[in-house]
Amino acid sequence: MATASVSDSREKELWRRLGEVNDPELDEPITEMGFVERAEVKGDGSVEVDFRLPTYWCSPNFAFLMLDGVRRALDQLPWSPAYAVKLHDHMFADEVNRGIEAGKTFGDIFAELAADTDLGAVRETFSMKAFKRRQEAVLRGLRQHGLTDREIVGMDLPAYDVARFEPGEAAKQKPRYRAALLERFPDHRTDGPVFVTWDGQHIPADALSAYLAELRGVRVNMEFNGALCRGLKQTRYKELDVVDGEPTLVDFIMDRVPARSAPVT
């Protein structure tokens, strides 16, 4: 019984850690996107993960950033297990899996596959989009809560922490935006407004509406790509969601939009 309890606890912790890894372009957990097809804790405590992207042609950049996130998540497991990660049905799956078996890091493997790509710049672009998407959700939530634009842009971290939302997107993104803010601007833990631009600039109250319009464009783009990726994966593996026997809008889009192969800027 104790052994089963330990196994269940480890399984939950494994999935919790994997759920903290996001698709870098979409800022959504890879577990919710369906990219982790299997994650299992074996009897000896070792871990096996099967990973599959929505298309055969997904950019190596996306694969690297997500698999590197998986590696970091597995390295944080408290029982420090040996682990095996296998990428399936991708144009670089053989190279990636051979490299992993040879003990190479994901960085070494993908440095060879994406030699001309500045992965640091790619990561920075995706971090910026995630920052903006999370921020927009909270800003809209505060407006809906009745706060004035002047109250919102003047909010500091203590005031932000006590703000409460009904269950929904704003409540979901509130802790995620806080984490993104403090990762980029650690000094805002003790000083400075909560809502600033990606470059750290103050947002005037009379400019908030225009700023929100800019953020909305980022969100719409990310939401569309999220629906596209889910649909691609469902279509590819014959797991279509059908409503009343008819194809969904995502199914219609899949027939007309080429697969994602490079970052959307």
Side-chain angles (χ1 to χ4, degrees), residues 235 247 250-258:
T235 301
V250 169
D251 302 335
F252 177 83
I253 292 171
M254 294 312 98
D255 291 335
R256 291 158 175 79
V257 181

Side-chain angles (χ1 to χ4, degrees), residues 16-175:
R16 186 184 75 81
R17 293 285 185 180
L18 291 174
E20 294 175 348
V21 181
N22 293 324
D23 177 305
E25 184 187 24
L26 308 177
D27 194 37
E28 296 186 32
I30 58 173
T31 50
E32 293 183 14
M33 294 298 297
F35 298 160
V36 179
E37 294 216 325
R38 184 178 69 94
E40 182 179 353
V41 180
K42 309 299 285 186
D44 61 0
S46 63
V47 170
E48 294 180 357
V49 175
D50 289 328
F51 195 81
R52 196 187 306 267
L53 291 165
T55 75
Y56 183 81
W57 302 275
C58 269
S59 165
N61 302 341
F62 293 106
F64 167 75
L65 293 174
M66 282 184 273
L67 287 171
D68 191 54
V70 170
R71 176 190 63 79
R72 295 184 187 192
L74 298 180
D75 282 341
Q76 293 172 359
L77 290 172
W79 67 98
S80 302
Y83 55 79
V85 180
K86 190 168 185 179
L87 177 63
H88 295 272
D89 295 339
H90 185 267
M91 61 181 175
F92 292 120
D94 290 343
E95 292 88 341
V96 170
N97 294 331
R98 280 199 302 268
I100 293 172
E101 289 176 4
K104 294 182 180 179
T105 66
F106 288 127
D108 291 338
I109 297 167
F110 283 91
E112 299 170 3
L113 299 177
D116 298 328
T117 301
D118 184 349
L119 287 172
V122 174
R123 196 187 296 272
E124 176 86 355
T125 297
F126 291 145
S127 295
M128 175 187 67
K129 290 183 177 182
F131 179 94
K132 290 182 174 182
R133 183 184 187 184
R134 299 175 189 186
Q135 186 186 65
E136 191 244 7
V138 180
L139 286 170
R140 286 190 295 116
L142 289 170
R143 270 187 161 187
Q144 292 166 3
H145 204 60
L147 273 71
T148 67
D149 289 356
R150 187 170 300 279
E151 289 172 329
I152 291 171
V153 299
M155 184 175 285
D156 59 12
L157 194 61
Y160 181 86
D161 287 341
V162 299
R164 294 290 180 267
F165 299 106
E166 296 296 322
E169 189 65 12
K172 174 185 174 182
Q173 297 297 349
K174 182 175 180 256

Side-chain angles (χ1 to χ4, degrees), residues 3-16:
T3 301
S5 177
V6 169
S7 177
D8 289 345
S9 176
R10 287 180 171 182
E11 197 87 21
K12 290 178 181 178
E13 179 67 7
L14 169 61
W15 281 100
R16 186 184 75 81

Side-chain angles (χ1 to χ4, degrees), residues 184-197:
R184 183 150 180 86
F185 303 110
D187 290 346
H188 283 238
R189 189 178 299 276
T190 55
D191 187 33
V194 170
F195 297 109
V196 293
T197 68

